Each structure stands twice: as structure tokens, then as C-alpha cells.
Amino acid sequence: MFNRAASVAAVAMLLSGCVTVDNKPVTDSAAKGLESKTLTSTAYVTPDFSAMTAGKASFGLFGAMAMIQAGNDIVSQNQIADPAIKINNDLAAMLVDSHHMHNVESHGTPTKSDKIPDLITNFPHADYLLDVKTLNWNFAYFPTNWSHYRVFYAARLRLIDEAHGTVVAETMCKAQPSSDDNPPTKDELLSNHAALLKQLLEKAANDCTKVLASQVLKV
């Protein structure tokens, strides 16, 4: 049991690291400042995905690394998109619609660094930078039911003023789109080119978009 707990903790650290996220909804005055301004978006290298299975959980840190390798293989083989891409696109469309912003196509290359100066350098030529980054995405077995799984997703949102290098709005979103009442098996998640896993991750993206739009960006 200790090894399994240690493995899950190791996965969490490997996936998200030590990330500090403030809860900072956009103020009314900052929202007014968005009117008719230009907007562009960040793009990240596809983050590590973890497939937390009970068999690998017996091997501690090595098991955690094996889970991440297995998860990354699932993402690659089934062409699973990072949910942050959909969240970013949907929120950008809402900001354009509600504040008459002008969406500027980003020509920056996908990055690993999320430091604000690096992001502004890589994604320039706009007044504001919409930054959505996946912090954690995985599926994991139930501790009391090793044959069934739940899907988890977490992302960070930042709206950055490029001219001043300041954060106008920031928060984290967490979503668990699978049902605990009728959780899927691993085979169900991955059958038909991981159709169910893709569906659940899309639901997580939609759930996060709704929360971030209404409670943080106020659009």
C-alpha cells in the first residue's frame, strides 16, 4: 500500500511540479481596458499524461515513470489533443466577442517554459496574451476497485498584459469528468482509438471553459 501511495504522489510531482496559482478574477477596470485591444495565445509542448494502473503502482518512483511513459504512448498513438488548446481557443473567441478584441495569430513555437518574460518573447505582437497551461491530466484506478478508472484534469489560466508583463487574471481549474457511479474500465477508456477518453477530456475542457469564462474572465 505504501508503494502505491508513493507512486501516485511521485506522479503528481512529476506531472505538475511545484506550481503556485493565485485566484485573481479580472477587475471591472481591467475588463474595460480590454476593449478593442489585440489578443494572442500561448502554445505548449504536449504535457506528460499519466496512466495510473495498479500493476505499475507497486514499483514506487520507477512505477510512476512507467505510468507517464505509458500515458504518453496512449496520447501519441491515439492522437489525443491537449485540452488546454480547446480551452484557449474557446476563451479567446469569447473575449473577442464580448470585448471586441482582435485575435492575432500566434507564430511562436510550442514551449515548455511558462515564465512570463519567455512567453512574451515567444508570443509577441499583441496587447494581451491568453495563457492556458495543462498542469495535470491522467486516469487512475480506484483504490477500492482496481479494474475501474477515473479521469482527472487540471489547468492554469493567466491573462497577461504584454506591455507591462503583468497578470490581469489568473486561476486554476480542476475537472473530473468521469462518473464515480459508473466508472469505465481501462479497456472502455481506450477502445476505438481512446474514444471515451477523448470524450471525457473534451468534457473536462468544456467544464473548465465555463468556469473560467464566467468566474475569472467574466465573459
Side-chain angles (χ1 to χ4, degrees), residues 16-214:
S16 59
C18 298
V19 178
T20 301
V21 180
D22 293 328
N23 183 30
K24 181 182 179 181
V26 67
T27 64
D28 291 340
S29 60
K32 290 179 181 178
L34 301 178
E35 290 296 323
S36 300
K37 295 297 177 63
T38 54
L39 175 73
T40 194
S41 301
T42 56
Y44 286 96
V45 173
T46 302
D48 286 327
F49 182 93
S50 177
M52 298 186 186
T53 56
K56 291 184 176 65
S58 301
F59 297 97
L61 180 60
F62 293 105
M65 296 173 66
M67 290 178 191
I68 291 174
Q69 182 60 59
N72 289 344
D73 289 344
I74 290 169
V75 168
S76 175
Q77 292 166 8
N78 296 284
Q79 299 180 321
I80 301 175
D82 179 0
I85 298 171
K86 177 174 174 52
I87 297 172
N88 219 329
N89 289 340
D90 289 350
L91 290 176
M94 292 179 186
L95 285 167
V96 167
D97 183 61
S98 61
H99 292 291
H100 306 99
M101 300 187 80
H102 304 283
N103 207 347
V104 177
E105 183 178 354
S106 170
H107 296 288
T109 56
T111 180
K112 287 185 177 181
S113 174
D114 64 355
K115 295 180 180 179
I116 290 177
D118 293 342
L119 293 176
I120 292 174
T121 298
N122 198 26
F123 306 100
H125 310 310
D127 298 309
Y128 289 91
L129 180 60
L130 183 61
D131 174 38
V132 180
K133 180 182 181 181
T134 292
L135 299 179
N136 194 342
W137 59 332
N138 65 63
F139 63 71
Y141 65 94
F142 283 78
T144 57
N145 183 354
W146 294 358
S147 63
H148 290 79
Y149 290 78
R150 59 161 59 106
V151 175
F152 177 78
Y153 180 74
R156 182 192 62 204
L157 162 76
R158 293 186 299 193
L159 183 60
I160 300 168
D161 180 336
E162 290 214 13
H164 300 94
T166 55
V167 176
V168 174
E170 178 179 8
T171 199
M172 178 188 290
C173 172
K174 297 180 180 179
Q176 188 175 297
S178 52
S179 171
D180 285 357
D181 295 330
N182 186 28
T185 64
K186 182 182 176 184
D187 287 344
E188 288 171 339
L189 279 175
L190 300 182
S191 65
N192 192 23
H193 304 291
L196 179 57
L197 179 57
K198 291 175 182 176
Q199 177 184 329
L200 291 172
L201 289 171
E202 182 176 3
K203 183 179 185 303
N206 290 338
D207 290 345
C208 276
T209 297
K210 291 176 183 178
V211 171
L212 296 173
S214 62

